[in-house]
Amino acid sequence: MPAAIDHLVTSGTFSLDGGTWDVDNNVWIVGDDTEAVVIDAAHDAVAIEAALRGRRLRAIVCTHAHDDHVGAAPALAEATGAPVLLHPDDLPLWKRTHPERDPDGELADGQVLTVAGTALTVLHTPGHAPGAVCLYAPELGTVFTGDTLFQGGPGATGRSFSDFPTIIDSIRERLLTLPPETVVRTGHGDATTIGREAPGLQEWIDRGH
């Protein structure tokens, strides 16, 4: 039986390039009754640990290193003993939030993380951030996109470390190739599907190239 998906929303701030904004973040927990992984430890380590309900945390997976997505990662790691995993291209962003602590391991394109017998494949999708990744779980019919793809279009690329043509390439090559019924579980806001987003994304692609 494949793993289940739990959803938690935490609130805090996002700061970059001298600005600070209030944000609500989606935290995704994938697992069964005994073990789980957390995708994006945002804002509140205590709330995330409580949502684990005593399960063994196998890993804290960071879709990228903006502070609103990794702020609670070290505290959650300390509380649970789980490693923090990040794509190395996002280490400069990570160091802005956690200069005294490195991640515990690296994520790589094509890497497969397994929890509760369910595979999560790492897709490197730079653009919103250099080391941004998505996690594709075909058994669950879902992809966790962080801030690469939202309901209504690509993630923001107007700040440091981001690039619009790069995120468009990532979406075209790594996400639009997934089955259209794949549920897109995002870093902020409501879920959507690849098929629902595809027509609008084609307009973004045409605009980007």
Side-chain angles (χ1 to χ4, degrees):
M1 186 174 177
I5 301 169
D6 293 324
H7 177 214
L8 177 69
V9 176
T10 58
S11 300
T13 60
F14 164 57
S15 298
L16 189 65
D17 296 339
T20 298
W21 301 267
D22 293 327
V23 289
D24 296 327
N25 284 62
N26 293 326
V27 179
W28 302 101
I29 302 174
V30 183
D32 58 13
D33 292 336
T34 61
E35 65 177 21
V37 298
V38 164
I39 300 171
D40 286 344
H43 305 303
D44 192 337
V46 173
I48 298 169
E49 185 181 6
L52 290 168
R53 303 188 305 275
R55 291 174 285 179
R56 180 168 70 97
L57 185 57
R58 296 280 305 277
I60 301 162
V61 183
C62 307
T63 63
H64 62 293
H66 284 151
D67 62 355
D68 58 319
H69 289 257
V70 302
L76 185 62
E78 183 176 350
T80 62
V84 179
L85 306 180
L86 177 75
H87 193 284
D89 287 356
D90 255 23
L91 192 58
L93 270 171
W94 170 275
K95 286 295 191 180
R96 290 186 168 209
T97 304
H98 302 299
E100 306 300 325
R101 189 206 193 278
D102 288 338
D104 302 297
E106 295 183 350
L107 297 171
D109 186 57
Q111 179 180 352
V112 178
L113 308 173
T114 302
V115 61
T118 299
L120 304 171
T121 299
V122 177
L123 308 176
H124 183 209
T125 53
H128 181 70
V133 301
C134 299
L135 297 163
Y136 178 45
E139 291 177 82
L140 303 179
T142 198
V143 60
F144 302 93
T145 58
D147 288 2
T148 294
L149 177 62
F150 294 113
Q151 184 183 89
T157 55
R159 302 188 181 100
S160 298
F161 300 94
S162 64
D163 183 73
F164 178 72
T166 302
I167 201 172
I168 291 299
D169 286 343
S170 293
I171 290 170
R172 185 185 70 243
E173 296 168 8
R174 311 310 304 277
L175 298 181
L176 287 183
T177 56
L178 301 179
E181 66 272 17
T182 302
V183 177
V184 176
R185 301 181 194 271
T186 62
H188 308 272
D190 295 333
T192 182
T193 67
I194 293 294
R196 192 178 304 149
E197 298 305 313
L201 287 169
Q202 190 58 54
E203 293 182 15
W204 283 97
I205 290 167
D206 294 342
R207 192 184 313 173
H209 293 274

